[in-house]
Amino acid sequence: TCDSLTAHDKKSSYFELCFANKAKERAKVADIVLVNHTLFALDLSIKKSTDGMVQLIPERKIVVMDEAHNFEKMAVLAFSDEVSLVSLLHLVNKSIVKKAVNSGDIARTVDALRSVLLKYIPPKGEEYYEQMKLEKVEGLGRVVGDVKNILYILENDGGLKADEGSKSKVKEAIKEGENFVSRLNKFMEEDSNILKWSEAREGRDGILIKLKLVPLDISALVKSELFDKHTVVCTSATLSVVNKFSFFKGQIGLSDDCFREVASHISEV
């Protein structure tokens, strides 16, 4: 596995050695790219949230999805999201952010998010905190404004971009901040297809509170991001129920006019 801390961009002296970069480069020239459902679903989610500007795997015209009856679960996870104080601290504790932004402004931003989260502590049972369903999270607007102000400072402080290394750090921080703002906005929106809730647990530094959301029906998202854009072949031994595909089609977002065939047996080649 590889994340933002272990991956290296093209300017890094370790770029040629990075496993993730090597895999991406090989995938660009491959005739067939084999990925699991998790990576494929994450690719759809990231492309949607970035308007196609970011992708994990190369663009393709034809997709063959084996064990397709399992894909809905991975798609739900990919389009789910969560926010906690840790999410913000990861951004504001970056050295480039600390260098550019007044420590008092950073502290006020952290306190603003902490105050919002404390409003949504779920009730505690005998041993553990329960989950608390939410309709809409109030108070995040100020946090969004504060984070946008941090991003504005990073973008417009010319002294931060004196060398290529600093430019890369600024770009990374802005990208992370924009993603965080996008996630906060999701919790402020009213959407009948999104289930929101809070959960909490005791930590070394106090109570860790998380806001979480998940789509109730993933079919429309999968249809718009996958089936409307690509030729897709779905295979599995358990796609049909009594030789009908109605359940699978509704679950995954397939249109009524899609070609379908039940193989009653597999011929030996």
Side-chain angles (χ1 to χ4, degrees):
T1 58
C2 192
D3 58 23
S4 60
L5 298 178
T6 55
H8 302 280
D9 61 26
K10 292 183 178 180
K11 297 183 179 65
S12 169
S13 58
Y14 298 100
F15 178 80
E16 298 295 335
L17 299 176
C18 178
F19 168 79
N21 290 328
K22 285 183 177 181
K24 289 177 182 177
E25 292 303 311
R26 289 199 300 268
K28 288 178 182 179
V29 297
D31 294 324
I32 298 174
V33 179
L34 181 65
V35 299
N36 58 31
H37 285 185
T38 301
L39 182 58
F40 187 74
L42 285 172
D43 180 59
L44 295 179
S45 176
I46 288 174
K47 285 196 293 189
K48 183 180 187 306
S49 63
T50 62
D51 294 323
M53 297 297 291
V54 179
Q55 60 185 40
L56 298 178
I57 53 181
E59 192 58 49
R60 60 277 169 196
K61 294 181 180 179
I62 300 175
V63 175
V64 178
M65 186 183 297
D66 192 22
E67 301 295 340
H69 65 283
N70 288 324
F71 184 68
E72 183 207 21
K73 182 190 301 182
M74 296 300 103
V76 167
L77 292 175
F79 283 93
S80 302
D81 218 331
E82 69 175 49
V83 164
S84 70
L85 200 61
V86 174
S87 310
L88 177 59
L89 291 175
H90 188 272
L91 170 65
V92 298
N93 281 332
K94 289 181 178 293
S95 59
I96 198 72
V97 176
K98 288 183 174 181
K99 180 179 179 180
V101 184
N102 181 280
S103 60
D105 292 337
I106 290 177
R108 280 190 291 274
T109 304
V110 173
D111 287 342
L113 180 57
R114 181 183 287 111
S115 297
V116 173
L117 294 174
L118 287 173
K119 296 177 183 177
Y120 298 100
I121 298 180
K124 189 174 183 179
E126 293 183 5
E127 295 187 46
Y128 304 104
Y129 286 93
E130 300 174 2
Q131 295 177 331
M132 183 169 69
K133 183 180 178 183
L134 308 173
E135 296 299 330
K136 183 180 178 181
V137 180
E138 304 287 348
L140 289 176
R142 177 188 170 185
V143 182
V144 168
D146 288 347
V147 174
K148 284 185 176 180
N149 183 57
I150 291 174
L151 300 184
Y152 178 83
I153 293 173
L154 291 173
E155 184 68 41
N156 292 278
D157 189 338
L160 296 176
K161 305 174 184 178
D163 55 75
E164 291 301 319
S166 297
K167 286 182 181 178
S168 178
K169 290 180 180 179
V170 169
K171 182 179 179 181
E172 178 184 322
I174 290 175
K175 180 180 176 181
E176 181 174 333
E178 290 175 341
N179 176 266
F180 184 60
V181 167
S182 174
R183 289 155 58 198
L184 290 175
N185 284 329
K186 292 180 183 178
F187 286 93
M188 293 191 289
E189 298 170 354
E190 293 185 10
D191 188 337
S192 59
N193 187 46
I194 298 295
L195 174 65
K196 305 183 185 79
W197 74 95
S198 65
E199 54 186 52
R201 64 177 175 83
E202 300 286 352
R204 290 186 304 174
D205 300 320
I207 303 173
L208 176 61
I209 307 164
K210 290 183 179 181
L211 304 179
K212 293 194 170 188
L213 61 79
V214 61
L216 296 173
D217 183 354
I218 201 69
S219 60
L221 286 169
V222 175
K223 182 178 185 300
S224 63
E225 300 305 313
L226 177 60
F227 295 116
D228 288 350
K229 298 178 180 179
H230 306 282
T231 298
V232 184
V233 179
C234 296
T235 67
S236 174
T238 55
L239 286 185
S240 64
V241 179
V242 195
N243 285 349
K244 294 183 179 180
F245 290 89
S246 302
F247 176 76
F248 176 71
K249 281 166 42 184
Q251 182 186 51
I252 208 71
L254 282 169
S255 60
D256 289 333
D257 59 353
C258 66
F259 177 80
R260 50 198 180 274
E261 176 181 348
V262 179
S264 58
H265 65 278
I266 301 176
S267 300
E268 294 185 4
V269 178

mmCIF file of all heavy atoms in Angstrom, residues 18-38:
data_model
loop_
_atom_site.group_PDB
_atom_site.id
_atom_site.type_symbol
_atom_site.label_atom_id
_atom_site.label_comp_id
_atom_site.label_asym_id
_atom_site.label_seq_id
_atom_site.Cartn_x
_atom_site.Cartn_y
_atom_site.Cartn_z
ATOM 1 N N CYS A 18 9.685 4.321 -6.295
ATOM 2 C CA CYS A 18 8.389 4.230 -5.615
ATOM 3 C C CYS A 18 7.515 3.149 -6.243
ATOM 4 O O CYS A 18 7.223 3.190 -7.446
ATOM 5 C CB CYS A 18 7.682 5.582 -5.656
ATOM 6 S SG CYS A 18 6.045 5.579 -4.882
ATOM 7 N N PHE A 19 7.080 2.203 -5.423
ATOM 8 C CA PHE A 19 6.260 1.098 -5.931
ATOM 9 C C PHE A 19 4.970 1.598 -6.570
ATOM 10 O O PHE A 19 4.562 1.129 -7.637
ATOM 11 C CB PHE A 19 5.930 0.126 -4.797
ATOM 12 C CG PHE A 19 4.865 -0.868 -5.148
ATOM 13 C CD1 PHE A 19 5.160 -1.986 -5.917
ATOM 14 C CD2 PHE A 19 3.551 -0.677 -4.748
ATOM 15 C CE1 PHE A 19 4.174 -2.896 -6.260
ATOM 16 C CE2 PHE A 19 2.564 -1.588 -5.094
ATOM 17 C CZ PHE A 19 2.873 -2.695 -5.846
ATOM 18 N N ALA A 20 4.292 2.563 -5.910
ATOM 19 C CA ALA A 20 3.019 3.060 -6.427
ATOM 20 C C ALA A 20 3.202 3.720 -7.785
ATOM 21 O O ALA A 20 2.401 3.514 -8.704
ATOM 22 C CB ALA A 20 2.403 4.045 -5.436
ATOM 23 N N ASN A 21 4.266 4.521 -7.939
ATOM 24 C CA ASN A 21 4.516 5.180 -9.220
ATOM 25 C C ASN A 21 4.847 4.168 -10.312
ATOM 26 O O ASN A 21 4.429 4.313 -11.466
ATOM 27 C CB ASN A 21 5.654 6.194 -9.080
ATOM 28 C CG ASN A 21 5.241 7.401 -8.257
ATOM 29 O OD1 ASN A 21 4.085 7.807 -8.268
ATOM 30 N ND2 ASN A 21 6.184 7.969 -7.527
ATOM 31 N N LYS A 22 5.609 3.154 -9.961
ATOM 32 C CA LYS A 22 5.934 2.114 -10.933
ATOM 33 C C LYS A 22 4.666 1.426 -11.427
ATOM 34 O O LYS A 22 4.498 1.176 -12.634
ATOM 35 C CB LYS A 22 6.868 1.067 -10.308
ATOM 36 C CG LYS A 22 8.302 1.528 -10.146
ATOM 37 C CD LYS A 22 9.151 0.388 -9.579
ATOM 38 C CE LYS A 22 10.602 0.788 -9.463
ATOM 39 N NZ LYS A 22 11.418 -0.328 -8.932
ATOM 40 N N ALA A 23 3.761 1.110 -10.500
ATOM 41 C CA ALA A 23 2.511 0.437 -10.873
ATOM 42 C C ALA A 23 1.668 1.328 -11.787
ATOM 43 O O ALA A 23 1.077 0.856 -12.762
ATOM 44 C CB ALA A 23 1.729 0.072 -9.619
ATOM 45 N N LYS A 24 1.604 2.618 -11.466
ATOM 46 C CA LYS A 24 0.819 3.550 -12.287
ATOM 47 C C LYS A 24 1.395 3.672 -13.695
ATOM 48 O O LYS A 24 0.656 3.713 -14.684
ATOM 49 C CB LYS A 24 0.776 4.928 -11.622
ATOM 50 C CG LYS A 24 -0.066 4.982 -10.360
ATOM 51 C CD LYS A 24 -0.002 6.358 -9.729
ATOM 52 C CE LYS A 24 -0.796 6.407 -8.435
ATOM 53 N NZ LYS A 24 -0.687 7.740 -7.777
ATOM 54 N N GLU A 25 2.726 3.750 -13.786
ATOM 55 C CA GLU A 25 3.363 3.882 -15.095
ATOM 56 C C GLU A 25 3.133 2.630 -15.942
ATOM 57 O O GLU A 25 2.892 2.719 -17.151
ATOM 58 C CB GLU A 25 4.862 4.149 -14.921
ATOM 59 C CG GLU A 25 5.189 5.510 -14.310
ATOM 60 C CD GLU A 25 4.613 6.654 -15.117
ATOM 61 O OE1 GLU A 25 4.791 6.670 -16.347
ATOM 62 O OE2 GLU A 25 3.975 7.534 -14.513
ATOM 63 N N ARG A 26 3.218 1.453 -15.337
ATOM 64 C CA ARG A 26 2.969 0.218 -16.083
ATOM 65 C C ARG A 26 1.518 0.141 -16.543
ATOM 66 O O ARG A 26 1.220 -0.331 -17.639
ATOM 67 C CB ARG A 26 3.317 -1.001 -15.225
ATOM 68 C CG ARG A 26 4.796 -1.196 -14.983
ATOM 69 C CD ARG A 26 5.106 -2.624 -14.539
ATOM 70 N NE ARG A 26 4.418 -2.959 -13.307
ATOM 71 C CZ ARG A 26 4.931 -2.794 -12.099
ATOM 72 N NH1 ARG A 26 6.146 -2.255 -11.961
ATOM 73 N NH2 ARG A 26 4.257 -3.135 -11.022
ATOM 74 N N ALA A 27 0.622 0.606 -15.699
ATOM 75 C CA ALA A 27 -0.804 0.556 -16.038
ATOM 76 C C ALA A 27 -1.130 1.439 -17.237
ATOM 77 O O ALA A 27 -2.031 1.128 -18.015
ATOM 78 C CB ALA A 27 -1.640 0.978 -14.832
ATOM 79 N N LYS A 28 -0.397 2.537 -17.400
ATOM 80 C CA LYS A 28 -0.676 3.480 -18.499
ATOM 81 C C LYS A 28 -0.457 2.843 -19.863
ATOM 82 O O LYS A 28 -1.117 3.209 -20.842
ATOM 83 C CB LYS A 28 0.211 4.721 -18.375
ATOM 84 C CG LYS A 28 -0.172 5.650 -17.228
ATOM 85 C CD LYS A 28 0.788 6.823 -17.152
ATOM 86 C CE LYS A 28 0.448 7.738 -15.984
ATOM 87 N NZ LYS A 28 1.396 8.875 -15.880
ATOM 88 N N VAL A 29 0.468 1.892 -19.954
ATOM 89 C CA VAL A 29 0.794 1.289 -21.255
ATOM 90 C C VAL A 29 0.276 -0.138 -21.380
ATOM 91 O O VAL A 29 0.472 -0.778 -22.410
ATOM 92 C CB VAL A 29 2.321 1.317 -21.486
ATOM 93 C CG1 VAL A 29 2.825 2.751 -21.536
ATOM 94 C CG2 VAL A 29 3.050 0.538 -20.390
ATOM 95 N N ALA A 30 -0.386 -0.623 -20.357
ATOM 96 C CA ALA A 30 -0.873 -2.007 -20.382
ATOM 97 C C ALA A 30 -2.140 -2.129 -21.224
ATOM 98 O O ALA A 30 -2.964 -1.206 -21.269
ATOM 99 C CB ALA A 30 -1.147 -2.491 -18.961
ATOM 100 N N ASP A 31 -2.302 -3.256 -21.898
ATOM 101 C CA ASP A 31 -3.532 -3.529 -22.648
ATOM 102 C C ASP A 31 -4.663 -3.890 -21.689
ATOM 103 O O ASP A 31 -5.821 -3.556 -21.932
ATOM 104 C CB ASP A 31 -3.309 -4.679 -23.638
ATOM 105 C CG ASP A 31 -2.322 -4.307 -24.729
ATOM 106 O OD1 ASP A 31 -2.328 -3.131 -25.155
ATOM 107 O OD2 ASP A 31 -1.543 -5.179 -25.138
ATOM 108 N N ILE A 32 -4.325 -4.569 -20.625
ATOM 109 C CA ILE A 32 -5.310 -4.972 -19.625
ATOM 110 C C ILE A 32 -4.793 -4.571 -18.244
ATOM 111 O O ILE A 32 -3.643 -4.850 -17.896
ATOM 112 C CB ILE A 32 -5.559 -6.498 -19.661
ATOM 113 C CG1 ILE A 32 -6.120 -6.907 -21.023
ATOM 114 C CG2 ILE A 32 -6.507 -6.914 -18.538
ATOM 115 C CD1 ILE A 32 -6.269 -8.404 -21.195
ATOM 116 N N VAL A 33 -5.633 -3.914 -17.472
ATOM 117 C CA VAL A 33 -5.281 -3.516 -16.104
ATOM 118 C C VAL A 33 -6.197 -4.280 -15.143
ATOM 119 O O VAL A 33 -7.424 -4.172 -15.225
ATOM 120 C CB VAL A 33 -5.444 -2.001 -15.891
ATOM 121 C CG1 VAL A 33 -5.091 -1.629 -14.449
ATOM 122 C CG2 VAL A 33 -4.571 -1.227 -16.865
ATOM 123 N N LEU A 34 -5.604 -5.037 -14.251
ATOM 124 C CA LEU A 34 -6.359 -5.847 -13.288
ATOM 125 C C LEU A 34 -6.336 -5.159 -11.928
ATOM 126 O O LEU A 34 -5.267 -4.940 -11.350
ATOM 127 C CB LEU A 34 -5.749 -7.243 -13.193
ATOM 128 C CG LEU A 34 -6.429 -8.234 -12.247
ATOM 129 C CD1 LEU A 34 -7.833 -8.557 -12.738
ATOM 130 C CD2 LEU A 34 -5.593 -9.514 -12.128
ATOM 131 N N VAL A 35 -7.498 -4.793 -11.416
ATOM 132 C CA VAL A 35 -7.594 -4.154 -10.097
ATOM 133 C C VAL A 35 -8.720 -4.817 -9.312
ATOM 134 O O VAL A 35 -9.604 -5.454 -9.887
ATOM 135 C CB VAL A 35 -7.864 -2.634 -10.206
ATOM 136 C CG1 VAL A 35 -6.736 -1.929 -10.939
ATOM 137 C CG2 VAL A 35 -9.199 -2.349 -10.875
ATOM 138 N N ASN A 36 -8.702 -4.629 -7.999
ATOM 139 C CA ASN A 36 -9.783 -5.179 -7.186
ATOM 140 C C ASN A 36 -10.956 -4.198 -7.129
ATOM 141 O O ASN A 36 -10.867 -3.049 -7.580
ATOM 142 C CB ASN A 36 -9.290 -5.546 -5.781
ATOM 143 C CG ASN A 36 -8.685 -4.360 -5.046
ATOM 144 O OD1 ASN A 36 -9.076 -3.212 -5.244
ATOM 145 N ND2 ASN A 36 -7.723 -4.643 -4.181
ATOM 146 N N HIS A 37 -12.058 -4.648 -6.574
ATOM 147 C CA HIS A 37 -13.262 -3.809 -6.505
ATOM 148 C C HIS A 37 -13.017 -2.535 -5.692
ATOM 149 O O HIS A 37 -13.543 -1.471 -6.023
ATOM 150 C CB HIS A 37 -14.412 -4.599 -5.864
ATOM 151 C CG HIS A 37 -15.012 -5.613 -6.778
ATOM 152 N ND1 HIS A 37 -16.118 -6.364 -6.423
ATOM 153 C CD2 HIS A 37 -14.679 -6.014 -8.024
ATOM 154 C CE1 HIS A 37 -16.437 -7.177 -7.414
ATOM 155 N NE2 HIS A 37 -15.575 -6.989 -8.391
ATOM 156 N N THR A 38 -12.226 -2.646 -4.639
ATOM 157 C CA THR A 38 -11.989 -1.496 -3.763
ATOM 158 C C THR A 38 -11.309 -0.362 -4.514
ATOM 159 O O THR A 38 -11.754 0.795 -4.467
ATOM 160 C CB THR A 38 -11.119 -1.909 -2.556
ATOM 161 O OG1 THR A 38 -11.779 -2.943 -1.828
ATOM 162 C CG2 THR A 38 -10.878 -0.722 -1.644
#
